[in-house]
Amino acid sequence: MKSNFPINSFSKIETPFYYYDISLLRKTLDSLKEELAGHDNYHVHYAVKANANRRLLNIINEYGFGADCVSGGEIEAALGAGFTPDTIVFAGVGKSDKEINLALSAGISCFNVESIPELENIDRLAKEQKKVATVALRINPNIDAHTHSYITTGLSENKFGIDMSLIDKVLDKLSELKNVKFTGLHFHIGSQITDMDAFRSLAVRINDIQEVFYRRMIVVDSINVGGGLGVDYHNPDENPVPDFHEYIETFKKYLVLRPKQHLHFELGRSIICQCGSLISRVLYVKEGVNKKFAILDAGMTDLVRPALYQAYHKIENLTSSAPVEEYDVVGPICESSDCFGKAIELNAAERGDIFALRSAGAYGEIMASRYNCRELPKAYFSDAL
Ligand code: LLP
């Protein structure tokens, strides 16, 4: 069965481009919102790094979610799309002075801090602005998320977070500094996590870590468990909306919140991934010695995930129902890694056919580059074609 795409409209548009199914995005946001109902102390901050397209940010903001930003540019994008500063958290292992000043001026809700030198720098800059910055400490929980090594972040050898063995030093430093105020703890163990055991381990570990703070009589107002919920790249039509219920329940069940504590989530991929596809035309079908290549007008500059992480994206030929053949689906960039998939079974392709690379809403458009002096891909929306 062919997926449901407005192929007549596509045929009039120059490729490659990103296509976003707005009704699926809304369905996804509805589903997440439903899971949070009745939990006034649960807060979702959309991870802007997954996709900062203005139209999509506007819609996510409509649902009352906050924003998780990792650069000054993302803070500006979130503010520009209507997110209020008090819903914005700012993370990142290397925040520059310019970015910290921007965040302080905007009055964002919290800096997720990853080291003592960063803490000292935020304190210094906050003092200059005669402000007190609210900070959470990003703790490295040393949990293996069993995902791709480039997107696992919670292990001790990663550059992220503060190791618990150093926590006393950090707390001593915090008590000396006058222009930073401690509010809570932040964690993030990795991305594209589909096994809830990893989140359960995180929750249990946070319970232990909280004890350390309570023994030192330090009040922890907020726990931020980061993001990372994965999606079904292999079956985007069967599983268009991630299982937010299972995810939220895991924390509800295993994480022991103290009275008045707030629980924060930073979800990116799970919100925005399935509603986006990269649409491309076949430029040439090339016969190799033992294989056929479908050469697309989209390349790794438009969607880098397969080249960078060996990531799988389901590929469909939207304009053919001819018998299935096997293709290596490649782009036009002068790099062998510019390959979207090898030995992919597709309805027989010819020049001009339109292909969809599915589940490309997250870390797709936002990671596009101008390598080879190519144009950045444009975006189209299902409700405005
Ligand atoms: N919070 C923090 C601190 C993060 O580092 C990330 C993602 C998130 C939240 C959102 O994670 P999500 O819910 O989207 O899994 N470019 C890679 C993914 C990099 C993720 C980086 N951090 C990819 O294409 O798979």
Side-chain angles (χ1 to χ4, degrees), residues 89-142:
V89 295
F90 182 21
V93 68
K95 302 175 187 75
S96 71
D97 290 11
K98 188 175 166 195
E99 291 174 317
I100 294 168
N101 276 327
L102 171 83
L104 286 167
S105 306
I108 62 146
S109 72
C110 185
F111 291 80
N112 294 331
V113 172
E114 309 219 4
S115 67
I116 290 180
E118 184 195 336
L119 203 53
E120 289 172 331
N121 199 33
I122 293 174
D123 181 73
R124 180 181 66 85
L125 295 168
K127 192 170 178 188
E128 278 175 20
Q129 287 203 24
K130 299 192 176 48
K131 291 192 169 157
V132 175
T134 305
V135 302
L137 297 178
R138 176 165 177 179
I139 307 288
N140 191 332
N142 199 15

Side-chain angles (χ1 to χ4, degrees), residues 32 44-47 226-229 244 247 265-271:
L32 177 55
V44 168
H45 305 264
Y46 166 66
L229 176 62
F244 293 117
Y247 172 72
F265 302 91
E266 299 172 341
L267 295 173
R269 188 190 315 266
S270 51
I271 291 176

Side-chain angles (χ1 to χ4, degrees), residues 47 49-50 68 91 138 151 186 188 190-192 226-229 266-270 305 309 363 367:
K49 64 170 82 64
D68 159 39
R138 176 165 177 179
I151 51 176
H186 176 237
H188 175 75
S191 199
Q192 183 50 21
L229 176 62
E266 299 172 341
L267 295 173
R269 188 190 315 266
S270 51
R305 303 192 69 258
Y309 315 114
Y363 308 107
M367 290 181 80

Side-chain angles (χ1 to χ4, degrees), residues 8 35 38 71 81 85 97 114 135 194 229-230 261 265 292 334 343 385:
N8 287 338
E35 283 315 315
S71 70
D97 290 11
E114 309 219 4
V135 302
T194 49
L229 176 62
Q261 244 177 7
F265 302 91
K292 280 187 180 171
C334 302
L385 273 181

Side-chain angles (χ1 to χ4, degrees), residues 216-262:
R216 288 190 57 147
M217 315 254 278
I218 295 170
V219 178
V220 179
D221 288 326
S222 69
I223 299 287
N224 182 335
V225 293
L229 176 62
V231 302
D232 189 345
Y233 280 96
H234 285 85
N235 306 293
D237 292 319
E238 291 77 1
N239 293 312
V241 179
D243 194 340
F244 293 117
H245 179 73
E246 195 187 23
Y247 172 72
I248 301 281
E249 277 297 313
T250 302
F251 288 102
K252 220 187 271 181
K253 193 163 167 196
Y254 296 103
L255 181 65
V256 183
L257 285 184
R258 313 274 168 145
K260 294 197 190 144
Q261 244 177 7
H262 289 261

